[in-house]
Amino acid sequence: MSLLTQSPVWRALQTHHKAMAQRHLRELFQQDARRFEKFSLLFNDMLMDYSKQPVDQETIDLLLALARQQKLEDWIARMFSGDKINITEHRAALHVALRSEQSMFIDGADVMPEVKRVLKQMEHFSVAVQSGIRCGYSGETFTDIVNIGIGGSDLGPAMVTEALKPYWISGITPHFISNVDGAQLSQVLQRLNPATTLFIISSKTFTTQETLVNAHSARQWFLSRGGSEKDIAHHFVAVSANRAAVEKFGIDPENMFVFWDWVGGRYSLWSAIGLPIALTVGMGNFYALLAGAREMDRHFATVPLDKNLPVILGLIGVWQINFFGISSHVVLPYDQSMHRFPAYLQQLEMESNGKRIAHDGDTVDYATSPVVWGELGANGQHAFYQLLHQGTQPVSADFLVPCQSHYPFGDHHRVVLANFLAQTEALMKGKTEQEARAEMTSQSIDAETIRQLTPHKIFPGNRPTTSILFKKLTPKSLGSLIALYEHKVFVQSVIWNINPFDQWGVELGKQLVGKILTELENHVPVTSHDSSTNGLINHLKANR
Ligand code: G6Q
């Protein structure tokens, strides 16, 4: 058994769970009229309501004791001080420096002058593109930006760019190509004019096969549609930590935006990886995004644990996952612009904490990251909420809701809000047998039908939800929201004693593909794998 699961606090939480599991959320609300005030927190214009979680004051006290036992405050300080907390890669995880205004150090060297230099480079470049000073080979202004990248070099910037659609500068349309399936690239390129298209090749390593295949095809397309070799310098820029590979690809280092090994891919949207964001919404809005994250960083680093949003959000997750046994977590934004947020969060949470080896190399004897998934709120209601309400799998949920919409169109936003409120209330309360019967009786349904339908109309309720409300989805509030989740993930990693900043599982895929790619080149039958893989390869060879 691990030290964690043997610890007195863990055991106390297990005992406490036995008691809490007997209590329905409905009952907790009936017993305490001040439950909402007690179990909700404010940060700027953000409200986090966790009163619809199965907690009482003892739960919170025990979870905070667990956080202290795991030395959470020390770990937070270590992250902000540039310690090499990504131990398997011997690196710091200092993404907070990307939005800092103060000096931040790694190995005694201040990283901020470089961070600021690249931000200025992004600013000059985006102003030049937006104003038309930096233009395409025919002298026309750029109208389309194609970001080619995958994973962390795609999901963050794509999610933010979509979420900030109300801030898009007119005349520039962003496109994101991540999939190596040629369908995505060709569908986008067939609508574009090479003379007015700017490509950003985003890859920290600049060795990622999918990205390089897409980048080479984009280059080919450009050259075959009127662009010349010398025009490449105007139409292709790179964002990378690997200068040599960028040069080898043929991009002038003058057109390169760097970032550093202490920025993990899924934490990189605040770096030059955010270039498509800056080009689409303007550098002013990009700075506001950074400011929102910076304020959340300050909150995380300075506010006591019991009033600290990322800490409480992380601990609630631990309570659900490790004590209630919940392994499925759904995120439900009630805002159309946030349609990529669940995909972004999947990577952030599952790639960071989907691990089973602790810092000391031992296999953990407790659950870590749940399966994270999600969809826009109202759409989900007409699809999978059935399972949330009446299924056999327990699922915890985060609801993300703006108080104001950017689109004051008719009565739409009031309908959105009513749906969110109705769903969270129903998930908490459920519907008892008595209520189900009374409802059918009031509809004059006959006694036999009522008898038959009653079990189907009962809702157990007691489904745990957290609601996060923000005034409006602005660059600043979005920055705070993303940083909230980044730090929540870190909090959980500290409790679980795992490294959230490496990703050996991703590296595996990158290694495996090389050999098979060569095997697919010719028609010679393959026998070097297990019978299933050989069978699949040979079937594909025969049918390509
Ligand atoms: C992120 C992961 C991974 C990475 C991609 C792309 O944290 O490391 O998703 O971002 O594999 O890698 P490159 O940016 O190096 O192309």
Side-chain angles (χ1 to χ4, degrees):
M1 268 173 98
S2 64
L3 287 175
L4 177 61
T5 53
Q6 279 179 57
S7 67
V9 186
W10 189 274
R11 295 240 166 108
L13 276 160
Q14 284 175 323
T15 308
H16 176 64
H17 164 256
K18 287 201 182 88
M20 288 305 286
Q22 304 303 315
R23 301 172 74 185
H24 197 286
L25 280 169
R26 199 190 260 243
E27 185 195 317
L28 295 177
F29 275 94
Q30 278 158 0
Q31 286 165 357
D32 187 354
R34 295 189 54 250
R35 191 170 165 78
F36 170 73
E37 287 89 86
K38 286 185 187 162
F39 301 113
S40 58
L41 289 170
L42 279 171
F43 163 83
N44 289 347
D45 64 13
M46 188 185 283
L47 166 74
M48 185 174 97
D49 172 24
Y50 60 101
S51 61
K52 291 194 183 83
Q53 291 285 349
V55 297
D56 64 8
Q57 195 52 50
E58 187 182 346
T59 324
I60 299 299
D61 292 343
L62 285 169
L63 288 169
L64 290 169
L66 182 69
R68 290 195 187 94
Q69 169 187 285
Q70 298 303 96
K71 304 208 176 346
L72 177 60
E73 282 153 312
D74 290 354
W75 276 98
I76 296 173
R78 287 181 64 191
M79 179 169 78
F80 279 83
S81 64
D83 252 26
K84 301 210 168 130
I85 55 175
N86 176 357
I87 50 163
T88 58
E89 295 181 307
H90 312 291
R91 289 174 186 168
L94 201 58
H95 42 283
V96 289
L98 300 170
R99 52 240 190 177
S100 173
E101 280 183 331
Q102 292 164 356
S103 294
M104 301 205 94
F105 297 89
I106 296 177
D107 290 333
D110 186 0
V111 298
M112 291 313 294
E114 258 296 276
V115 169
K116 287 190 181 146
R117 184 189 66 75
V118 176
L119 283 171
K120 273 284 162 224
Q121 188 194 2
M122 290 168 68
E123 185 177 331
H124 289 145
F125 185 76
S126 32
V127 168
V129 168
Q130 285 144 8
S131 63
I133 293 172
R134 165 98 191 204
C135 57
Y137 62 80
S138 64
E140 289 170 86
T141 309
F142 287 117
T143 55
D144 294 89
I145 295 155
V146 180
N147 190 80
I148 297 181
I150 196 166
S153 300
D154 167 72
L155 286 161
M159 179 278 284
V160 171
T161 305
E162 281 298 300
L164 297 183
K165 210 164 215 167
Y167 298 84
W168 284 15
I169 290 168
S170 83
I172 293 186
T173 307
H175 310 269
F176 288 86
I177 304 295
S178 54
N179 200 339
V180 73
D181 180 344
Q184 196 186 20
L185 185 66
S186 51
Q187 281 167 13
V188 167
L189 292 185
Q190 70 190 9
R191 290 183 267 130
L192 302 186
N193 172 4
T196 57
T197 301
L198 176 69
F199 290 94
I200 305 174
I201 315 299
S202 285
S203 175
K204 181 175 169 180
T205 55
F206 229 78
T207 56
T208 304
Q209 188 192 42
E210 294 90 331
T211 297
L212 293 182
V213 169
N214 278 323
H216 280 288
S217 298
R219 198 169 184 279
Q220 263 324 103
W221 171 85
F222 178 77
L223 293 173
S224 66
R225 295 287 195 295
S228 70
E229 283 287 350
K230 76 170 174 27
D231 299 326
I232 297 267
H234 281 282
H235 288 259
F236 284 76
V237 299
V239 180
S240 184
N242 185 349
R243 183 178 290 267
V246 169
E247 275 185 65
K248 195 168 161 226
F249 179 84
I251 293 179
D252 186 342
E254 284 284 298
N255 292 321
M256 178 179 172
F257 298 79
V258 296
F259 67 115
W260 310 274
D261 71 354
W262 46 267
V263 182
R266 56 196 171 278
Y267 299 88
S268 65
L269 71 91
W270 323 96
S271 71
I273 288 289
L275 187 62
I277 307 172
L279 285 165
T280 309
V281 300
M283 199 63 192
N285 285 318
F286 190 75
Y287 282 131
L289 182 82
L290 300 185
R294 178 163 63 245
E295 289 186 14
M296 183 56 81
D297 294 342
R298 199 176 306 130
H299 170 91
F300 183 51
T302 59
V303 168
L305 299 186
D306 63 330
K307 299 274 180 288
N308 194 310
L309 269 76
V311 171
I312 296 296
L313 192 60
L315 291 175
I316 294 292
V318 167
W319 180 230
Q320 288 298 350
I321 295 157
N322 298 113
F323 299 93
F324 282 84
I326 290 191
S327 58
S328 177
H329 180 71
V330 65
V331 53
L332 303 162
Y334 276 66
D335 184 310
Q336 179 67 32
S337 306
M338 294 180 76
H339 67 103
R340 294 293 286 156
F341 198 83
Y344 160 78
L345 206 58
Q346 278 185 326
Q347 183 191 26
L348 180 66
E349 299 226 9
M350 294 201 276
E351 198 169 292
S352 299
N353 284 340
K355 317 257 165 87
R356 56 182 229 303
I357 301 297
H359 283 301
D360 55 11
D362 284 349
T363 304
V364 301
D365 59 353
Y366 41 84
T368 56
S369 175
V371 174
V372 177
W373 54 292
E375 174 57 283
L376 290 176
N379 294 351
Q381 285 172 213
H382 297 266
F384 55 78
Y385 277 39
Q386 165 62 40
L387 181 148
L388 303 187
H389 285 289
Q390 290 186 306
T392 53
Q393 309 285 336
V395 181
S396 60
D398 285 359
F399 285 73
L400 308 178
V401 188
C403 303
Q404 293 175 15
S405 168
H406 280 283
Y407 304 93
F409 197 57
D411 213 11
H412 289 239
H413 194 57
R414 196 161 64 97
V415 177
V416 167
L417 296 181
N419 271 288
F420 145 66
L421 292 163
Q423 289 294 333
T424 46
E425 185 174 30
L427 286 163
M428 182 273 283
K429 281 172 109 172
K431 194 182 280 178
T432 63
E433 180 175 343
Q434 209 180 11
E435 286 166 341
R437 281 181 182 281
E439 190 180 278
M440 286 187 281
T441 307
S442 72
Q443 292 162 350
S444 309
I445 295 175
D446 67 86
E448 178 53 17
T449 308
I450 290 180
R451 192 189 63 74
Q452 280 173 10
L453 283 183
T454 299
H456 301 278
K457 296 251 187 179
I458 293 171
F459 290 73
N462 208 27
R463 305 302 209 220
T465 66
T466 297
S467 298
I468 298 175
L469 273 51
F470 36 90
K471 194 153 180 189
K472 202 169 187 173
L473 193 64
T474 62
K476 192 167 171 206
S477 64
L478 180 63
S480 299
L481 186 67
I482 300 168
L484 166 68
Y485 275 98
E486 283 182 350
H487 296 324
K488 167 216 158 164
V489 165
F490 181 60
V491 168
Q492 295 188 331
S493 76
V494 170
I495 303 297
W496 293 327
N497 204 20
I498 56 176
N499 177 9
F501 300 116
D502 61 10
Q503 55 282 316
W504 300 106
V506 178
E507 311 303 336
L508 174 71
K510 294 187 181 184
Q511 271 169 23
L512 293 179
V513 75
K515 177 173 183 250
I516 297 184
L517 199 59
T518 320
E519 289 170 342
L520 284 175
E521 255 170 24
N522 53 39
H523 291 286
V524 181
V526 166
T527 54
S528 60
H529 302 265
D530 58 89
S531 66
S532 165
T533 310
N534 287 338
L536 293 170
I537 292 176
N538 293 330
H539 181 85
L540 284 165
K541 281 186 173 218
N543 288 281
R544 279 186 75 193

